[in-house]
Amino acid sequence: MAQVNLKGTMTFSDEQAMLLDTATDYFRDKFPMAYVRDQMLSSSGYEQTRWDEMVALGWSGLAIPEEFGGSGLGLAAAVTIAEPMGRALAATPFLSTQLFVQGMLHGGSVDQKNAYLSQIAEGKIGTVALFEDSGGWDLTDVGVELIDGRLKGAKTFVVDAGVADWVLVSARRDGELVVVVVNKADLTGSTLEREVVIDETRRSYRLSFNGTPAAEVLGDASTALNAIRNAALLLIAAESGGGIAGVLNVVVEYLTTRTAFGKKIGGFQGLKHPTVDILIGLERTRSHVYHAASLLDAGEDAQAAIHMAKAEASDSFAFAGDRAIQFHGGFGFTWDCDAQMYLRRALWSQYSFGDAAYHRKQLAALLL
Amino acid sequence: MNELEEFREEVAAWLQQNRPAQPDFLLPETFMEVGTDSQFHFLRDWQQQVYEAGYLGMAWPKEYGGGGKPQVLQDIATQEMARLKVPFMTNTIGLNWAGPLILAIGTEEEKQKYIKRILSAEDIWCQGFSEPDNGSDLAAATTTAVRDGDEYILNGSKIWTSLGSFARYMILLAKTNPKADNRYAGLSYFLSPMDVPGIDVQPIRKLTGEYGFTQTFFTDARIPASCLMGNEGEGWQIAMKTLTFERGATGGQAGGLAMNQMSVSDVVELARRSTREGRPAIEDPLIRDQLIRFLTEEQGDRLSGVRAGIPALVSERPAAIPMSGKLRGTEHKRRLFQFALSLMGSNAARWVGDSHADRGGLWPRSYFNSFSATIGGGTSQVQANIVGERVLGLPKDQG
Ligand SMILES: Cc1cc2nc3c(=O)[nH]c(=O)nc-3n(C[C@H](O)[C@H](O)[C@H](O)COP(=O)(O)OP(=O)(O)OC[C@H]3O[C@@H](n4cnc5c(N)ncnc54)[C@H](O)[C@@H]3O)c2cc1C
């Protein structure tokens, strides 16, 4: 009873290793920081050519089973894309689309999966609309209503809603939780209002429904929501792991070039030791992420591992971003210093789908 | 069931059958705290028994007394010792750093002479690196070894010598050439006997009130010249190699537990038994949050150990996990025990010997003893320097 038993599994196939290599090179070459900064000013936040490239590489369909037109490599394969993507602070509809895929895969009927998933593998974009004005993270706390097949109410933090072909929306029908698909064409009647969010690489929207028709109702809402949430936690944690690696490099670069009092500032232990703490946070985060991904794909109970991955990633990334600002001195306080880019991403990620304290609370319920 | 699983069961069964009964005195938690003869004999007997059963030095070469078996078997045996919380192997310095060092660079004669008796605990080894005035800055060592015919004459003092009262041999870093071009080049490395006239040990009382390490004095002590390891002037390189074994950054250790320490699960259990404002402490949200933080950290480090074995997942900085292991693990334990005290309310103030102290006062003692690992073997601050400089390429502290 007293013993808290956690597993120690970690598997990583040659196929995953190749994907990780390819994705690392791809994001490093195609998303240099100047490019990422340019994209912050664009309306969709990314270029279609980049998305087409990613689709051509097969990344959209990695986690889609072969019978529905994907490559059937599971969510662990998507993790190997999310990590280097996060390192470059690249914003693409990859994450949103993966969440749509998981919701459909776990909550949809065979017909529904057939209808949507192969098109996703070919480049269509999906997203999820789960959060509401309270800012809470409980996915069953839903106020949007489905009455006679039409939606009423509002969702917030709908990422990439401006470009999505389909949106999975959580709602209540006679008090019962449902998840429905809304087509892009049907969104015209509802209002899509861009939210001003801390991470300027992201495109986030408030979606108000006023009788918007639902194209489909998924068979199993709670399974769908659970799958979406776990995928979100894992992919955000992976992306954060990448972000920590990225900001660590920015910090190390400055600490080995900037001089004060006649020596390189990295020689000062007040900077050196916390930078080692950033490294330790990075190592722990990556270990939690690849462990959780291994369990999930093996069909084992991954719940605790996923909460741990998100909690560790969130705190470690926020710490790294915070210290990165401080360690750049006056330059750290500027827009031009990349440290702010990482801190913004870290805070966005921390407060998406539950912060570290929230997940520790879930863990306490599971483990203590 | 495959062979490895069968082996795991075999070891577990043996350990359960043969584990020594709990003695009527408090056992030390690590080799750095062996302070009394009864503690020492208890632990030495246990090591001997484990060795004779074939569960120690399993992967060391057969011709020197090892088992000549694959490392994975020793790893399994060690894991079972940890899981079943049997006492640790007291000859830690011999098993885990002097032994692997001798196997790696020692002469045939040295291997024949020392290895088997390290495993059987017939010869206990200690380490003479630190000095009263020089610890972190090891290269500043001033203890001298002067060649005189076929002997060296030792003068000076080493300190914080763990197992110093029980050791037959010492790995010793001493200065052979005060006029060397640089301070590193003047150092040499010895496999020195302890039972010679002119070597005296003085037990030092630890912060817990117990004894555990010694100051070692050398006064014109003569040791055979054959005790020199390698050549004169190679002492620094050999000492650095020793430290890679000591800090676990290089494999090759004999295996077996080096310490018995509690984990987060033990603190969770304490939280279940303790109360806060009349309710079980485990129900307090702040305590729950802390316990989960510790569990997440412990699990993260454990998983990092697994990930270190997957090259594709450590390709960017392969040294990061092994080189930060000591820093991560020891600081985690120190903060864990510090926290454990806070679960007991005012009872946290009870010390060993108080009849109402939880588990005989083990908690505050464990917290105090946790500093042995954050200081011994290179302090956490020095470890952080090493990781920052060697893993991240940050500039050196000095100069
Ligand atoms: C329980 C125990 C067992 C031990 N067993 C042995 C043994 O068997 N054999 C042996 O040879 N030694 C042993 N030691 C000694 C141990 O290796 C040294 O105590 C340790 O290396 C620190 O050296 P010092 O005590 O001289 O401290 P100092 O070097 O004087 O350090 C004092 C403080 O300054 C800090 N400091 C020093 N240099 C730096 C730096 N460059 N940057 C930042 N901070 C710095 C340290 O972290 C520490 O906090 C043992 C120590 C303990 C506590």
Side-chain angles (χ1 to χ4, degrees):
Chain A
M1 179 62 188
Q3 201 69 26
V4 178
N5 279 315
L6 294 165
K7 297 181 198 114
T9 324
M10 197 177 305
T11 50
F12 198 65
S13 66
D14 291 346
E15 209 155 23
Q16 283 169 299
M18 264 167 55
L19 275 171
L20 182 59
D21 271 354
T22 311
T24 302
D25 292 348
Y26 175 81
F27 287 108
R28 188 195 49 225
D29 297 344
K30 302 280 180 139
F31 290 81
M33 194 53 86
Y35 175 83
V36 169
R37 282 179 176 266
D38 275 351
Q39 287 308 310
M40 296 198 313
L41 304 172
S42 75
S43 79
S44 62
Y46 70 99
E47 273 187 308
Q48 189 61 36
T49 45
R50 288 289 104 86
W51 182 244
D52 292 343
E53 287 163 1
M54 291 172 66
V55 173
L57 284 161
W59 295 347
S60 272
L62 282 175
I64 298 175
E66 280 166 311
E67 69 254 48
F68 302 116
S71 47
L73 292 177
L75 208 52
V79 161
T80 65
I81 309 301
E83 192 189 11
M85 192 167 84
R87 182 175 186 142
L89 298 182
T92 74
F94 180 78
L95 241 71
S96 321
T97 302
Q98 292 306 311
L99 303 191
F100 179 91
V101 167
Q102 291 301 316
M104 183 56 77
L105 203 53
H106 292 271
S109 65
V110 172
D111 285 348
Q112 287 168 331
K113 291 181 211 178
N114 271 322
Y116 293 93
L117 292 180
S118 62
Q119 295 192 62
I120 290 276
E122 284 159 12
K124 289 270 200 235
I125 293 168
T127 188
V128 296
L130 310 176
F131 300 106
E132 302 192 356
D133 285 328
S134 70
W137 295 303
D138 178 355
L139 297 186
T140 64
D141 189 8
V142 173
V144 166
E145 285 193 291
L146 182 70
I147 301 167
D148 298 333
R150 292 179 176 274
L151 293 167
K152 262 195 154 42
K155 291 289 184 183
T156 60
F157 295 107
V158 188
V159 181
D160 299 317
V163 295
D165 298 289
W166 305 299
V167 187
L168 281 181
V169 183
S170 59
R172 297 230 167 242
R173 181 174 60 189
D174 298 327
E176 171 213 11
L177 198 59
V178 291
V179 174
V180 304
V181 183
V182 172
N183 292 329
K184 186 191 192 91
D186 294 326
L187 282 177
T188 40
S190 44
T191 42
L192 204 59
E193 181 192 338
R194 177 143 163 218
E195 292 165 326
V196 182
V197 295
I198 195 162
D199 177 359
E200 302 202 340
T201 67
R202 300 286 191 200
R203 293 296 173 270
S204 179
Y205 296 83
R206 179 185 168 82
L207 210 49
S208 327
F209 304 109
N210 202 350
T212 311
E216 309 264 356
V217 180
L218 298 194
D220 186 343
S222 63
T223 307
L225 288 176
N226 207 34
I228 293 170
R229 185 187 64 156
N230 281 345
L233 296 177
L234 182 62
L235 293 174
I236 294 169
E239 213 192 26
S240 300
I244 304 169
V247 73
L248 175 61
N249 282 353
V250 169
V251 167
V252 168
E253 168 72 19
Y254 203 63
L255 262 58
T256 48
T257 49
R258 174 80 179 172
T259 302
F261 298 97
K263 64 179 196 176
K264 297 283 180 276
I265 56 171
F268 297 116
Q269 293 182 359
L271 279 65
K272 182 186 287 181
H273 292 187
T275 304
V276 168
D277 290 335
I278 296 175
L279 174 72
I280 289 175
L282 167 63
E283 298 302 335
R284 285 181 176 143
T285 296
R286 294 194 78 214
S287 302
H288 279 296
V289 165
Y290 284 98
H291 166 63
S294 305
L295 288 183
L296 204 65
D297 267 14
E300 292 182 47
D301 178 7
Q303 204 55 61
I306 287 170
H307 286 302
M308 276 196 180
K310 177 64 165 74
E312 177 69 55
S314 290
D315 273 354
S316 294
F317 193 10
F319 173 76
D322 175 286
R323 291 297 79 197
I325 305 275
Q326 181 69 21
F327 294 174
H328 281 80
F331 179 48
F333 203 71
T334 68
W335 179 257
D336 283 347
C337 180
D338 291 335
Q340 58 95 0
M341 302 275 293
Y342 292 96
L343 182 58
R344 284 167 177 270
R345 170 61 65 82
L347 294 174
W348 167 268
S349 304
Q350 167 89 282
Y351 297 110
S352 294
F353 285 85
D355 65 4
Y358 176 80
H359 289 291
R360 284 196 294 269
K361 197 168 169 190
Q362 315 290 313
L363 280 162
L366 285 175
L367 302 177
L368 298 180
Chain B
M1 189 160 56
N2 68 27
E3 268 169 56
L4 295 183
E5 286 168 43
E6 267 169 36
F7 176 71
R8 190 182 289 281
E9 292 202 346
E10 172 202 313
V11 185
W14 186 88
L15 290 169
Q16 271 156 336
Q17 258 162 40
N18 292 280
R19 68 182 311 154
Q22 191 69 33
D24 57 6
F25 46 84
L26 269 181
L27 279 174
E29 290 172 84
T30 78
F31 72 98
M32 292 180 280
E33 294 128 33
V34 183
T36 65
D37 284 347
S38 39
Q39 288 176 332
F40 173 66
H41 289 297
F42 178 95
L43 289 166
R44 195 227 282 267
D45 290 349
W46 170 237
Q47 179 181 328
Q48 212 143 25
Q49 216 184 328
V50 172
Y51 170 60
E52 278 161 14
Y55 300 131
L56 187 60
M58 295 184 73
W60 280 10
K62 240 193 168 103
E63 61 265 44
Y64 308 124
K69 299 207 171 81
Q71 181 65 37
V72 58
L73 295 183
Q74 181 65 61
D75 292 345
I76 289 175
T78 305
Q79 285 161 14
E80 288 305 297
M81 294 181 208
R83 188 176 66 83
L84 295 167
K85 299 194 180 221
V86 298
F88 61 88
M89 300 292 103
T90 194
N91 202 12
T92 298
I93 292 173
L95 294 169
N96 297 325
W97 48 102
L101 179 78
I102 293 168
L103 283 173
I105 65 165
T107 62
E108 182 59 28
E109 202 187 332
E110 285 165 344
K111 292 178 196 173
Q112 295 288 357
K113 182 172 176 191
Y114 299 125
I115 296 298
K116 176 160 190 291
R117 295 169 66 89
I118 285 176
L119 290 169
S120 64
E122 282 162 285
D123 294 343
I124 299 297
W125 283 67
C126 69
Q127 179 176 26
F129 282 16
S130 308
E131 298 185 356
D133 293 333
N134 311 289
S136 300
D137 187 11
L138 207 53
T142 59
T143 295
T144 55
V146 177
R147 181 77 185 241
D148 181 33
D150 53 7
E151 289 180 322
Y152 279 96
I153 307 172
L154 307 177
N155 274 291
S157 173
K158 295 289 173 179
I159 198 167
W160 326 125
T161 319
S162 302
L163 296 166
S165 311
F166 309 105
R168 179 170 306 196
Y169 292 102
M170 169 186 267
I171 42 177
L172 170 68
L173 187 64
K175 191 167 249 178
T176 42
N177 181 4
K179 296 195 220 82
D181 291 347
N182 63 65
R183 55 193 202 139
Y184 304 106
L187 295 169
S188 297
Y189 199 97
F190 297 89
L191 305 177
S192 169
M194 293 288 281
D195 55 351
V196 295
I199 300 186
D200 297 294
V201 298
Q202 181 75 52
I204 301 172
R205 199 168 181 203
K206 299 184 310 165
L207 78 174
T208 60
E210 299 157 285
Y211 289 85
F213 45 23
T214 64
Q215 180 162 5
T216 311
F217 298 93
F218 304 89
T219 321
D220 292 328
R222 289 176 168 269
I223 60 170
S226 60
C227 294
L228 177 71
M229 190 177 216
N231 297 306
E232 276 195 21
E234 290 177 359
W236 181 254
Q237 289 92 300
I238 302 177
M240 289 304 102
K241 193 164 180 68
T242 311
L243 291 181
T244 65
F245 291 118
E246 173 172 358
R247 293 168 185 165
T250 310
Q253 289 82 353
L257 282 188
M259 45 189 68
N260 288 96
Q261 268 190 356
M262 289 178 291
S263 64
V264 185
S265 284
D266 297 285
V267 180
V268 169
E269 192 267 335
L270 175 64
R272 287 189 203 290
R273 289 190 282 112
S274 309
T275 54
R276 272 275 160 99
E277 282 136 19
R279 308 280 317 151
I282 191 102
E283 292 176 10
D284 182 312
L286 294 179
I287 289 175
R288 293 169 77 75
D289 186 73
Q290 278 299 333
L291 289 171
I292 294 296
R293 279 175 194 267
F294 284 118
L295 274 173
T296 304
E297 228 173 79
E298 182 182 72
Q299 171 74 346
D301 285 345
R302 170 185 179 216
L303 293 170
S304 290
V306 181
R307 184 162 61 83
I310 304 177
L313 287 178
V314 291
S315 55
E316 192 173 8
R317 296 188 187 89
I321 293 172
M323 286 194 77
S324 62
K326 178 181 188 291
L327 177 61
R328 284 181 283 121
T330 62
E331 287 295 319
H332 166 82
K333 282 283 195 297
R334 180 182 59 77
R335 287 184 289 102
L336 176 67
F337 294 131
Q338 186 184 48
F339 168 73
L341 289 187
S342 75
L343 294 172
M344 297 182 286
S346 49
N347 288 324
R350 295 184 193 280
W351 185 255
V352 180
D354 182 88
S355 55
H356 294 284
D358 189 76
R359 293 180 72 175
L362 170 128
W363 297 104
R365 179 177 179 258
S366 286
Y367 171 45
F368 280 26
N369 276 334
S370 70
F371 289 98
S372 67
T374 61
I375 297 171
T379 68
S380 295
Q381 289 68 40
V382 169
Q383 296 298 313
N385 287 343
I386 293 172
V387 176
E389 290 159 20
R390 305 222 195 121
V391 179
L392 294 174
L394 296 176
K396 276 202 158 289
D397 250 18
Q398 255 73 34

